[in-house]
Amino acid sequence: MNTPQGGIFALGTASHAYLEFDLQAGNDGRALLTAMANLREPRTTIGGVNLVSGFRPELWRERVPDGVPAELAGFNHDVVGANGYVMPATQHDAMLWLSGSAYDVVFDEAREAINALAPLTTIADETSSWPYRGDRDLTGFVDGSENPSLLEAPDVALIPQGRPGAGGTILLLQKWAHDVKAWESLPVASQEQVIGRSKPESIELDPKPRDSHVARTDQDVFGHIFRRNMPYGTVTDHGTMFVGFSAEQRPLTAMLDSMAGVTDGLRDALTRYTRPLTGAFYFVPSTEAIGRFTTAPG
């Protein structure tokens, strides 16, 4: 058996940090894998902090050629959709997602991780996140209504045993900035048409508009994923961290194409009120796969 990294399924955490890193010129990819693996042993849950490590698919494949799905690739090109709409590609070499019971412990562990990786990497992006009103995002709508239960989530998110990368998962990480003034200027009924669900109860509209977010990301059409989205930012500058896991890359790329209107020229209405700032795919190996690179004592 190959064991998934536990933080993927650790629901209920109150504070999150997402760190993305680039390997410095002249440094070796194996050295980065070793440094990242050493972060996991023995620090994985110190102070109630979960740590999930992911890697640019091409970087992992260089060191573990048969340990990643053959078709998996980084977010290496912008998604260009209807009327020149762009979802930017901002692929980096590695990511760490820390989640814990409080921001102070996440803060301390994040600083330790950054310092440990500093000889090899530069930090390319850093975002801190927190839950909002239970399971709502900062639009006020429930986020993840279609998420599988924790019992079902591994079947959706994890690469099955016997396949390259078994026990691992594919992560799509994007930061979306909200146009707060434009969104809040809409009456609730109009917001519901954009999302495709009712705002108080999160009931799917029938019929739902073709350009609604629910219609453009219909998991019954594109395939099911496991989402761990979180709000980020300040009172005046905020948005959503999209954190989507899947056993295959295809559902994730298909949803992006649909949202951008690549296939039929019809954009997701929500993209008129929220803008993607980043976009990267990471391979998140099993604990055994990444553990093979560790040199730290257990």
PDB file of all heavy atoms in Angstrom, residues 23 27-34 55-68 289 292-293:
ATOM      1  N   LEU A  23      13.503  26.441  -7.665  1.00  0.00           N
ATOM      2  CA  LEU A  23      14.868  25.972  -7.454  1.00  0.00           C
ATOM      3  C   LEU A  23      15.832  27.012  -8.001  1.00  0.00           C
ATOM      4  O   LEU A  23      15.687  27.486  -9.133  1.00  0.00           O
ATOM      5  CB  LEU A  23      15.059  24.637  -8.182  1.00  0.00           C
ATOM      6  CG  LEU A  23      16.321  23.841  -7.904  1.00  0.00           C
ATOM      7  CD1 LEU A  23      16.392  23.407  -6.440  1.00  0.00           C
ATOM      8  CD2 LEU A  23      16.379  22.626  -8.828  1.00  0.00           C
ATOM      9  N   ASN A  27      21.352  24.558  -8.677  1.00  0.00           N
ATOM     10  CA  ASN A  27      21.024  23.554  -7.665  1.00  0.00           C
ATOM     11  C   ASN A  27      20.327  22.364  -8.303  1.00  0.00           C
ATOM     12  O   ASN A  27      19.683  22.479  -9.354  1.00  0.00           O
ATOM     13  CB  ASN A  27      20.148  24.151  -6.566  1.00  0.00           C
ATOM     14  CG  ASN A  27      20.945  25.017  -5.612  1.00  0.00           C
ATOM     15  OD1 ASN A  27      22.026  24.628  -5.173  1.00  0.00           O
ATOM     16  ND2 ASN A  27      20.431  26.197  -5.302  1.00  0.00           N
ATOM     17  N   ASP A  28      20.457  21.242  -7.645  1.00  0.00           N
ATOM     18  CA  ASP A  28      20.012  19.965  -8.192  1.00  0.00           C
ATOM     19  C   ASP A  28      18.610  19.619  -7.699  1.00  0.00           C
ATOM     20  O   ASP A  28      18.270  19.851  -6.534  1.00  0.00           O
ATOM     21  CB  ASP A  28      21.007  18.879  -7.773  1.00  0.00           C
ATOM     22  CG  ASP A  28      20.612  17.523  -8.293  1.00  0.00           C
ATOM     23  OD1 ASP A  28      20.684  17.328  -9.510  1.00  0.00           O
ATOM     24  OD2 ASP A  28      20.213  16.671  -7.477  1.00  0.00           O
ATOM     25  N   GLY A  29      17.780  19.061  -8.600  1.00  0.00           N
ATOM     26  CA  GLY A  29      16.432  18.695  -8.230  1.00  0.00           C
ATOM     27  C   GLY A  29      16.379  17.662  -7.124  1.00  0.00           C
ATOM     28  O   GLY A  29      15.500  17.706  -6.264  1.00  0.00           O
ATOM     29  N   ARG A  30      17.331  16.726  -7.123  1.00  0.00           N
ATOM     30  CA  ARG A  30      17.339  15.724  -6.066  1.00  0.00           C
ATOM     31  C   ARG A  30      17.574  16.371  -4.706  1.00  0.00           C
ATOM     32  O   ARG A  30      16.983  15.954  -3.699  1.00  0.00           O
ATOM     33  CB  ARG A  30      18.400  14.657  -6.333  1.00  0.00           C
ATOM     34  CG  ARG A  30      18.394  13.578  -5.256  1.00  0.00           C
ATOM     35  CD  ARG A  30      19.460  12.519  -5.452  1.00  0.00           C
ATOM     36  NE  ARG A  30      19.379  11.547  -4.381  1.00  0.00           N
ATOM     37  CZ  ARG A  30      18.605  10.476  -4.369  1.00  0.00           C
ATOM     38  NH1 ARG A  30      17.819  10.229  -5.419  1.00  0.00           N
ATOM     39  NH2 ARG A  30      18.581   9.647  -3.347  1.00  0.00           N
ATOM     40  N   ALA A  31      18.428  17.380  -4.660  1.00  0.00           N
ATOM     41  CA  ALA A  31      18.688  18.067  -3.397  1.00  0.00           C
ATOM     42  C   ALA A  31      17.417  18.714  -2.864  1.00  0.00           C
ATOM     43  O   ALA A  31      17.165  18.718  -1.650  1.00  0.00           O
ATOM     44  CB  ALA A  31      19.787  19.110  -3.570  1.00  0.00           C
ATOM     45  N   LEU A  32      16.590  19.238  -3.778  1.00  0.00           N
ATOM     46  CA  LEU A  32      15.321  19.832  -3.352  1.00  0.00           C
ATOM     47  C   LEU A  32      14.387  18.759  -2.807  1.00  0.00           C
ATOM     48  O   LEU A  32      13.745  18.961  -1.764  1.00  0.00           O
ATOM     49  CB  LEU A  32      14.669  20.558  -4.529  1.00  0.00           C
ATOM     50  CG  LEU A  32      13.272  21.135  -4.255  1.00  0.00           C
ATOM     51  CD1 LEU A  32      13.290  22.119  -3.093  1.00  0.00           C
ATOM     52  CD2 LEU A  32      12.715  21.798  -5.512  1.00  0.00           C
ATOM     53  N   LEU A  33      14.295  17.611  -3.482  1.00  0.00           N
ATOM     54  CA  LEU A  33      13.448  16.534  -2.986  1.00  0.00           C
ATOM     55  C   LEU A  33      13.887  16.086  -1.599  1.00  0.00           C
ATOM     56  O   LEU A  33      13.058  15.840  -0.713  1.00  0.00           O
ATOM     57  CB  LEU A  33      13.479  15.344  -3.947  1.00  0.00           C
ATOM     58  CG  LEU A  33      12.943  15.576  -5.364  1.00  0.00           C
ATOM     59  CD1 LEU A  33      12.907  14.266  -6.134  1.00  0.00           C
ATOM     60  CD2 LEU A  33      11.583  16.227  -5.357  1.00  0.00           C
ATOM     61  N   THR A  34      15.204  15.976  -1.403  1.00  0.00           N
ATOM     62  CA  THR A  34      15.715  15.573  -0.096  1.00  0.00           C
ATOM     63  C   THR A  34      15.385  16.608   0.970  1.00  0.00           C
ATOM     64  O   THR A  34      14.935  16.264   2.077  1.00  0.00           O
ATOM     65  CB  THR A  34      17.236  15.357  -0.169  1.00  0.00           C
ATOM     66  OG1 THR A  34      17.509  14.273  -1.071  1.00  0.00           O
ATOM     67  CG2 THR A  34      17.810  15.027   1.191  1.00  0.00           C
ATOM     68  N   PHE A  55       5.274  18.777  -5.976  1.00  0.00           N
ATOM     69  CA  PHE A  55       6.394  19.075  -6.863  1.00  0.00           C
ATOM     70  C   PHE A  55       5.908  19.280  -8.294  1.00  0.00           C
ATOM     71  O   PHE A  55       4.924  18.660  -8.725  1.00  0.00           O
ATOM     72  CB  PHE A  55       7.407  17.925  -6.846  1.00  0.00           C
ATOM     73  CG  PHE A  55       7.949  17.644  -5.466  1.00  0.00           C
ATOM     74  CD1 PHE A  55       7.317  16.719  -4.647  1.00  0.00           C
ATOM     75  CD2 PHE A  55       9.038  18.327  -4.973  1.00  0.00           C
ATOM     76  CE1 PHE A  55       7.787  16.466  -3.361  1.00  0.00           C
ATOM     77  CE2 PHE A  55       9.516  18.086  -3.695  1.00  0.00           C
ATOM     78  CZ  PHE A  55       8.888  17.153  -2.882  1.00  0.00           C
ATOM     79  N   ARG A  56       6.605  20.155  -9.000  1.00  0.00           N
ATOM     80  CA  ARG A  56       6.363  20.276 -10.432  1.00  0.00           C
ATOM     81  C   ARG A  56       6.481  18.890 -11.050  1.00  0.00           C
ATOM     82  O   ARG A  56       7.449  18.172 -10.795  1.00  0.00           O
ATOM     83  CB  ARG A  56       7.368  21.246 -11.049  1.00  0.00           C
ATOM     84  CG  ARG A  56       7.237  21.413 -12.551  1.00  0.00           C
ATOM     85  CD  ARG A  56       8.081  22.597 -13.043  1.00  0.00           C
ATOM     86  NE  ARG A  56       9.470  22.483 -12.648  1.00  0.00           N
ATOM     87  CZ  ARG A  56      10.414  21.814 -13.323  1.00  0.00           C
ATOM     88  NH1 ARG A  56      10.095  21.151 -14.441  1.00  0.00           N
ATOM     89  NH2 ARG A  56      11.655  21.795 -12.894  1.00  0.00           N
ATOM     90  N   PRO A  57       5.494  18.461 -11.834  1.00  0.00           N
ATOM     91  CA  PRO A  57       5.512  17.078 -12.331  1.00  0.00           C
ATOM     92  C   PRO A  57       6.789  16.702 -13.062  1.00  0.00           C
ATOM     93  O   PRO A  57       7.321  15.599 -12.886  1.00  0.00           O
ATOM     94  CB  PRO A  57       4.303  17.027 -13.268  1.00  0.00           C
ATOM     95  CG  PRO A  57       3.374  18.062 -12.722  1.00  0.00           C
ATOM     96  CD  PRO A  57       4.248  19.163 -12.206  1.00  0.00           C
ATOM     97  N   GLU A  58       7.327  17.624 -13.857  1.00  0.00           N
ATOM     98  CA  GLU A  58       8.544  17.326 -14.610  1.00  0.00           C
ATOM     99  C   GLU A  58       9.744  17.130 -13.695  1.00  0.00           C
ATOM    100  O   GLU A  58      10.625  16.304 -13.975  1.00  0.00           O
ATOM    101  CB  GLU A  58       8.818  18.444 -15.621  1.00  0.00           C
ATOM    102  CG  GLU A  58       7.765  18.583 -16.712  1.00  0.00           C
ATOM    103  CD  GLU A  58       6.550  19.420 -16.325  1.00  0.00           C
ATOM    104  OE1 GLU A  58       6.449  19.822 -15.142  1.00  0.00           O
ATOM    105  OE2 GLU A  58       5.696  19.678 -17.193  1.00  0.00           O
ATOM    106  N   LEU A  59       9.789  17.879 -12.590  1.00  0.00           N
ATOM    107  CA  LEU A  59      10.896  17.738 -11.651  1.00  0.00           C
ATOM    108  C   LEU A  59      10.848  16.376 -10.962  1.00  0.00           C
ATOM    109  O   LEU A  59      11.873  15.690 -10.826  1.00  0.00           O
ATOM    110  CB  LEU A  59      10.845  18.871 -10.628  1.00  0.00           C
ATOM    111  CG  LEU A  59      12.012  18.984  -9.645  1.00  0.00           C
ATOM    112  CD1 LEU A  59      12.262  20.446  -9.271  1.00  0.00           C
ATOM    113  CD2 LEU A  59      11.762  18.180  -8.366  1.00  0.00           C
ATOM    114  N   TRP A  60       9.651  15.964 -10.532  1.00  0.00           N
ATOM    115  CA  TRP A  60       9.527  14.657  -9.885  1.00  0.00           C
ATOM    116  C   TRP A  60       9.860  13.540 -10.874  1.00  0.00           C
ATOM    117  O   TRP A  60      10.535  12.571 -10.523  1.00  0.00           O
ATOM    118  CB  TRP A  60       8.124  14.481  -9.333  1.00  0.00           C
ATOM    119  CG  TRP A  60       7.935  13.189  -8.593  1.00  0.00           C
ATOM    120  CD1 TRP A  60       7.417  12.024  -9.088  1.00  0.00           C
ATOM    121  CD2 TRP A  60       8.289  12.916  -7.229  1.00  0.00           C
ATOM    122  NE1 TRP A  60       7.411  11.048  -8.125  1.00  0.00           N
ATOM    123  CE2 TRP A  60       7.941  11.571  -6.966  1.00  0.00           C
ATOM    124  CE3 TRP A  60       8.837  13.691  -6.207  1.00  0.00           C
ATOM    125  CZ2 TRP A  60       8.140  10.968  -5.730  1.00  0.00           C
ATOM    126  CZ3 TRP A  60       9.037  13.093  -4.967  1.00  0.00           C
ATOM    127  CH2 TRP A  60       8.696  11.752  -4.730  1.00  0.00           C
ATOM    128  N   ARG A  61       9.391  13.679 -12.121  1.00  0.00           N
ATOM    129  CA  ARG A  61       9.618  12.638 -13.130  1.00  0.00           C
ATOM    130  C   ARG A  61      11.109  12.454 -13.419  1.00  0.00           C
ATOM    131  O   ARG A  61      11.554  11.339 -13.722  1.00  0.00           O
ATOM    132  CB  ARG A  61       8.852  12.989 -14.408  1.00  0.00           C
ATOM    133  CG  ARG A  61       8.920  11.908 -15.481  1.00  0.00           C
ATOM    134  CD  ARG A  61       8.081  12.265 -16.694  1.00  0.00           C
ATOM    135  NE  ARG A  61       6.647  12.190 -16.404  1.00  0.00           N
ATOM    136  CZ  ARG A  61       5.823  13.225 -16.423  1.00  0.00           C
ATOM    137  NH1 ARG A  61       6.285  14.431 -16.694  1.00  0.00           N
ATOM    138  NH2 ARG A  61       4.543  13.077 -16.162  1.00  0.00           N
ATOM    139  N   GLU A  62      11.893  13.539 -13.359  1.00  0.00           N
ATOM    140  CA  GLU A  62      13.336  13.426 -13.590  1.00  0.00           C
ATOM    141  C   GLU A  62      13.979  12.454 -12.606  1.00  0.00           C
ATOM    142  O   GLU A  62      14.939  11.756 -12.952  1.00  0.00           O
ATOM    143  CB  GLU A  62      14.001  14.800 -13.450  1.00  0.00           C
ATOM    144  CG  GLU A  62      13.715  15.757 -14.598  1.00  0.00           C
ATOM    145  CD  GLU A  62      14.274  17.142 -14.318  1.00  0.00           C
ATOM    146  OE1 GLU A  62      14.938  17.321 -13.257  1.00  0.00           O
ATOM    147  OE2 GLU A  62      14.072  18.049 -15.150  1.00  0.00           O
ATOM    148  N   ARG A  63      13.480  12.414 -11.378  1.00  0.00           N
ATOM    149  CA  ARG A  63      14.077  11.583 -10.333  1.00  0.00           C
ATOM    150  C   ARG A  63      13.346  10.269 -10.130  1.00  0.00           C
ATOM    151  O   ARG A  63      13.938   9.292  -9.663  1.00  0.00           O
ATOM    152  CB  ARG A  63      14.119  12.375  -9.013  1.00  0.00           C
ATOM    153  CG  ARG A  63      15.012  13.605  -9.083  1.00  0.00           C
ATOM    154  CD  ARG A  63      16.447  13.202  -9.337  1.00  0.00           C
ATOM    155  NE  ARG A  63      17.278  14.329  -9.751  1.00  0.00           N
ATOM    156  CZ  ARG A  63      18.570  14.210 -10.084  1.00  0.00           C
ATOM    157  NH1 ARG A  63      19.128  13.016 -10.064  1.00  0.00           N
ATOM    158  NH2 ARG A  63      19.259  15.268 -10.461  1.00  0.00           N
ATOM    159  N   VAL A  64      12.065  10.257 -10.445  1.00  0.00           N
ATOM    160  CA  VAL A  64      11.270   9.033 -10.282  1.00  0.00           C
ATOM    161  C   VAL A  64      10.490   8.825 -11.581  1.00  0.00           C
ATOM    162  O   VAL A  64       9.284   9.096 -11.641  1.00  0.00           O
ATOM    163  CB  VAL A  64      10.328   9.140  -9.066  1.00  0.00           C
ATOM    164  CG1 VAL A  64       9.721   7.776  -8.733  1.00  0.00           C
ATOM    165  CG2 VAL A  64      11.026   9.719  -7.847  1.00  0.00           C
ATOM    166  N   PRO A  65      11.145   8.356 -12.635  1.00  0.00           N
ATOM    167  CA  PRO A  65      10.498   8.295 -13.958  1.00  0.00           C
ATOM    168  C   PRO A  65       9.223   7.481 -13.993  1.00  0.00           C
ATOM    169  O   PRO A  65       8.287   7.811 -14.746  1.00  0.00           O
ATOM    170  CB  PRO A  65      11.588   7.666 -14.838  1.00  0.00           C
ATOM    171  CG  PRO A  65      12.875   7.970 -14.147  1.00  0.00           C
ATOM    172  CD  PRO A  65      12.555   7.935 -12.680  1.00  0.00           C
ATOM    173  N   ASP A  66       9.153   6.415 -13.211  1.00  0.00           N
ATOM    174  CA  ASP A  66       7.957   5.564 -13.228  1.00  0.00           C
ATOM    175  C   ASP A  66       7.040   5.851 -12.047  1.00  0.00           C
ATOM    176  O   ASP A  66       6.137   5.055 -11.762  1.00  0.00           O
ATOM    177  CB  ASP A  66       8.366   4.092 -13.216  1.00  0.00           C
ATOM    178  CG  ASP A  66       9.205   3.718 -11.994  1.00  0.00           C
ATOM    179  OD1 ASP A  66       9.629   4.636 -11.253  1.00  0.00           O
ATOM    180  OD2 ASP A  66       9.442   2.515 -11.770  1.00  0.00           O
ATOM    181  N   GLY A  67       7.242   6.979 -11.389  1.00  0.00           N
ATOM    182  CA  GLY A  67       6.488   7.284 -10.178  1.00  0.00           C
ATOM    183  C   GLY A  67       5.514   8.416 -10.311  1.00  0.00           C
ATOM    184  O   GLY A  67       5.120   9.047  -9.311  1.00  0.00           O
ATOM    185  N   VAL A  68       5.064   8.679 -11.536  1.00  0.00           N
ATOM    186  CA  VAL A  68       4.122   9.772 -11.773  1.00  0.00           C
ATOM    187  C   VAL A  68       3.342   9.423 -13.043  1.00  0.00           C
ATOM    188  O   VAL A  68       3.885   8.778 -13.953  1.00  0.00           O
ATOM    189  CB  VAL A  68       4.877  11.113 -11.931  1.00  0.00           C
ATOM    190  CG1 VAL A  68       5.766  11.122 -13.160  1.00  0.00           C
ATOM    191  CG2 VAL A  68       3.935  12.295 -11.951  1.00  0.00           C
ATOM    192  N   ALA A 289       6.726   7.420  -1.072  1.00  0.00           N
ATOM    193  CA  ALA A 289       7.506   7.883  -2.219  1.00  0.00           C
ATOM    194  C   ALA A 289       8.420   9.036  -1.833  1.00  0.00           C
ATOM    195  O   ALA A 289       9.606   9.042  -2.189  1.00  0.00           O
ATOM    196  CB  ALA A 289       6.570   8.288  -3.348  1.00  0.00           C
ATOM    197  N   ARG A 292      11.459   8.171   0.603  1.00  0.00           N
ATOM    198  CA  ARG A 292      12.675   7.549   0.099  1.00  0.00           C
ATOM    199  C   ARG A 292      13.806   8.553  -0.099  1.00  0.00           C
ATOM    200  O   ARG A 292      14.960   8.158  -0.276  1.00  0.00           O
ATOM    201  CB  ARG A 292      12.379   6.834  -1.215  1.00  0.00           C
ATOM    202  CG  ARG A 292      11.610   5.525  -1.031  1.00  0.00           C
ATOM    203  CD  ARG A 292      11.631   4.669  -2.286  1.00  0.00           C
ATOM    204  NE  ARG A 292      10.683   5.137  -3.280  1.00  0.00           N
ATOM    205  CZ  ARG A 292       9.419   4.715  -3.332  1.00  0.00           C
ATOM    206  NH1 ARG A 292       8.944   3.854  -2.440  1.00  0.00           N
ATOM    207  NH2 ARG A 292       8.613   5.157  -4.271  1.00  0.00           N
ATOM    208  N   PHE A 293      13.467   9.824  -0.065  1.00  0.00           N
ATOM    209  CA  PHE A 293      14.489  10.852  -0.255  1.00  0.00           C
ATOM    210  C   PHE A 293      15.004  11.433   1.062  1.00  0.00           C
ATOM    211  O   PHE A 293      15.941  12.228   1.064  1.00  0.00           O
ATOM    212  CB  PHE A 293      13.949  11.992  -1.128  1.00  0.00           C
ATOM    213  CG  PHE A 293      13.753  11.601  -2.554  1.00  0.00           C
ATOM    214  CD1 PHE A 293      12.531  11.116  -2.995  1.00  0.00           C
ATOM    215  CD2 PHE A 293      14.804  11.693  -3.462  1.00  0.00           C
ATOM    216  CE1 PHE A 293      12.354  10.739  -4.329  1.00  0.00           C
ATOM    217  CE2 PHE A 293      14.631  11.321  -4.783  1.00  0.00           C
ATOM    218  CZ  PHE A 293      13.402  10.843  -5.221  1.00  0.00           C
TER     219      PHE A 293
END
